[in-house]
C-alpha cells in the first residue's frame, strides 16, 4: 500500500502531511551520536550529539538533549544545551532552561526568561544567504 502525501498551505509555505511530516529524525534520550550529521529534514535531539550538525530545516534540542559541536540550520529551538556556534538563516529560540555556550549568527532571536546565553550574537538578514560562516568556524569547545 502506498503512502498518501498531500500539500497544504501553512503560513505562506507548502507543508507535506503524512508519515514523513509527522516524524522528524530523532536522537532519542540515552543515545549518544558521535560524528557529523547532515540532513535535509527536521532533527530533534533528546540524547547527545558530539559533532557538527548541518540541516536545511529545523533543529530542536529537547530539555534533556545536548549538542557539543556547531549547528547550521534554517531554524533552531534550544531547550537543552548547545556548546558550540550556530549559523541559523531563520529564527532562533532559546527557551527557559536552555543553554547556549557559543557564538550565534541568526536572522531572528527570541530568548525566554531563565535561558542562558554566553557568547556573541550577530544578526543577519533572513533568507538562504542570511547566516554565513562565523569567524573562527568551526568552533570546538575544550
Amino acid at each position: 500500500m502506498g503512502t498518501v502525501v498531500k500539500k497544504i498551505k501553512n503560513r505562506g509555505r507548502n507543508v507535506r502531511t503524512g508519515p514523513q511530516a509527522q516524524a522528524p529524525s530523532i536522537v532519542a534520550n540515552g543515545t549518544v551520536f558521535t560524528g557529523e550529521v547532515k540532513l535535509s529534514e527536521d532533527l530533534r535531539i533528546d540524547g547527545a550529539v558530539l559533532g557538527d550538525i548541518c540541516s536545511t530545516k529545523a533543529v530542536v534540542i529537547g530539555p534533556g538533549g545536548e549538542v557539543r559541536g556547531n549547528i547550521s540550520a534554517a531554524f533552531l529551538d534550544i531547550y537543552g544545551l548547545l556548546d558550540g556556534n550556530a549559523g541559523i538563516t531563520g529564527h532562533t529560540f532559546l527557551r527557559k532552561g536552555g543553554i547556549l555556550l557559543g557564538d550565534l549568527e541568526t536572522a531572528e532571536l527570541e530568548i525566554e526568561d531563565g535561558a542562558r546565553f554566553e557568547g556573541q550574537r550577530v544578526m543577519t538578514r533572513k533568507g538562504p544567504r542570511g547566516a554565513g560562516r562565523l569567524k573562527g568556524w568551526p568552533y570546538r569547545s575544550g
Side-chain angles (χ1 to χ4, degrees), residues 30-46:
T31 302
V32 177
F33 182 91
T34 303
E36 186 175 39
V37 179
K38 289 184 179 182
L39 67 162
S40 59
E41 295 300 325
D42 295 339
L43 175 64
R44 179 174 176 94
I45 301 158
D46 291 318

Side-chain angles (χ1 to χ4, degrees), residues 43-74:
L43 175 64
R44 179 174 176 94
I45 301 158
D46 291 318
V49 174
L50 309 176
D52 295 343
I53 298 170
C54 183
S55 174
T56 58
K57 296 200 177 169
V59 174
V60 177
I61 303 172
E66 68 177 77
V67 175
R68 296 191 185 273
N70 300 314
I71 296 178
S72 174

